Amino acid sequence: MPTARIPGADDADVPSVPGVAHRFVEVAGAEGTVSIHVAEAGAGDPVLMLHGWPGHWYCWRHLVPELSRSYRLLMPDLRGFGWSGAPGHGYDPRTFAADALALLDALELDRVRLVGHDWGGFTAFLLGVEHPERFTHIVVFNAPPLWAPLSWGVIASLWRTWYVAAIASPLGPHLVANPRFLPWFVGLGGRRHVFSVEDSEIYADRLRQPARARASCLLYRSYLRTAHDVFIRRRYNHDDLAVPTRLVFGADDFYVPSAYVSGFEQHAPNMDVEFVTGCGHFLPEERPDLAAARLQDFFRVTGGADR
């Protein structure tokens, strides 16, 4: 795999994707200043794209050729992941959201289109609810909305989140850093064909660094708090999502139960939901043509201007 070099960083080899440039942006988020690595491609109206676990900006690689023809793609690494700074704290969706807003401020962007997958998708929902003035459209891939009730369907599917306890445990950093763990993990649910050995290694390599392995552990400890907020405290029951939103969900997701996609109807009247049969959790990488088509179609239909 060809690599690119990011000026000004010691540990700077990144996978090379045609048309993608790299830089660091210092942002002042809620948890202090952090250096955010941003991969950029294309020109036009800006689209902020937030990845999930165990990935980084590279998860959008298949979408770059098509989307960069019409849009300026901003693909940051979340703090603690990829090539962004790993300060040892703030590995939770609320801090990711604060970092994203600080990044937009640093880039002098008032309103953008927003895309998220997995943790980046949950962060996108938070941003849309709490800062609707900053986003013209939101598209989320395989992440739960904020309002799922603790139904029997949810309870029956909780076994799927076994990995949360494993990664959040004291042994989590060692587990994540094990060179055999990640290639095995991303292939669960009959999805070994989605990631080549090379691509699995690109993700696994970053997580072998102790600071980033620990970031994974702390992120999944925040999962437990977030689940308590959603299912028990019903923290978001008085919040609504007014931004036009599309949720595209691989119906064969092995990690995030489809039962979590419930209870949103009265809170997100402008959200449409599509379940993609025969597709798993990593939809932008398993079905990139469909992902790009859904993004472009939604952006065109809902209109909106970005500045």
Side-chain angles (χ1 to χ4, degrees):
M1 162 64 69
T3 59
R5 200 79 186 156
I6 310 175
D10 294 330
D11 182 16
D13 286 334
V14 299
S16 180
V17 174
V20 175
H22 301 269
R23 62 166 157 158
F24 288 98
V25 179
E26 298 293 318
V27 305
E31 293 285 333
T33 300
V34 64
S35 179
I36 298 294
H37 164 243
V38 183
E40 298 183 68
D45 290 337
V47 181
L48 180 65
M49 308 178 77
L50 305 178
H51 68 84
W53 193 89
H56 40 66
W57 74 271
Y58 189 69
C59 78
W60 308 113
R61 64 195 179 281
H62 297 310
L63 278 62
V64 167
E66 181 65 28
L67 296 182
S68 63
R69 297 175 186 174
S70 304
Y71 301 102
R72 176 189 177 191
L73 307 182
L74 302 167
M75 301 169 284
D77 291 332
L78 302 177
R79 66 162 61 208
F81 298 92
W83 286 260
S84 286
H89 55 84
Y91 306 130
D92 61 83
R94 301 200 73 82
T95 305
F96 294 157
D99 288 346
L101 291 173
L103 176 63
L104 294 181
D105 290 342
L107 298 177
E108 299 182 335
L109 296 172
D110 292 331
R111 299 184 77 209
V112 302
R113 294 166 166 85
L114 177 62
V115 180
H117 171 250
D118 186 69
W119 281 102
F122 191 84
T123 300
F125 281 128
L126 288 177
L127 286 166
V129 163
E130 297 183 355
H131 300 277
E133 74 283 356
R134 302 301 296 268
F135 307 101
T136 62
H137 321 67
I138 298 173
V139 177
V140 170
F141 298 106
N142 283 77
L146 309 177
W147 305 280
L150 191 60
S151 65
W152 285 114
V154 168
I155 293 171
S157 61
L158 286 177
W159 68 270
R160 289 184 178 272
T161 60
W162 59 269
Y163 63 92
V164 173
I167 298 173
S169 75
L171 293 177
H174 303 286
L175 179 67
V176 168
N178 186 305
R180 287 181 286 186
F181 175 73
L182 196 64
W184 169 78
F185 182 83
V186 297
L188 292 174
R191 287 300 183 275
R192 279 202 229 171
H193 63 283
V194 175
F195 297 93
S196 67
V197 172
E198 189 175 59
D199 288 338
S200 294
E201 174 59 22
I202 286 171
Y203 293 134
D205 178 67
R206 302 308 295 168
L207 295 181
R208 281 197 283 271
Q209 296 183 358
R212 301 181 191 284
R214 177 151 179 79
S216 295
C217 175
L218 296 178
L219 175 60
Y220 277 95
R221 289 180 187 177
S222 86
Y223 183 112
L224 303 175
R225 297 191 300 272
T226 300
H228 184 266
D229 281 346
V230 171
F231 295 125
I232 307 302
R233 288 185 59 201
R234 310 299 293 160
R235 177 173 181 171
Y236 304 104
N237 266 20
H238 299 292
D239 296 321
D240 294 329
L241 178 62
V243 181
T245 301
R246 169 169 287 177
L247 172 60
V248 186
F249 202 98
D252 296 343
D253 194 321
F254 188 79
Y255 315 96
V256 181
S258 59
Y260 286 10
V261 185
S262 59
F264 63 86
E265 292 82 0
Q266 65 177 343
H267 299 283
N270 295 318
M271 181 168 80
D272 65 72
V273 178
E274 176 185 5
F275 287 96
V276 181
T277 57
C279 184
H281 178 72
F282 299 98
L283 192 150
E285 293 171 278
E286 184 172 352
R287 298 288 300 277
D289 292 345
L290 182 144
R294 295 299 186 269
L295 284 166
Q296 291 180 307
D297 174 66
F298 188 64
F299 291 165
R300 282 195 297 264
V301 168
T302 53
D306 309 318
R307 292 289 183 269

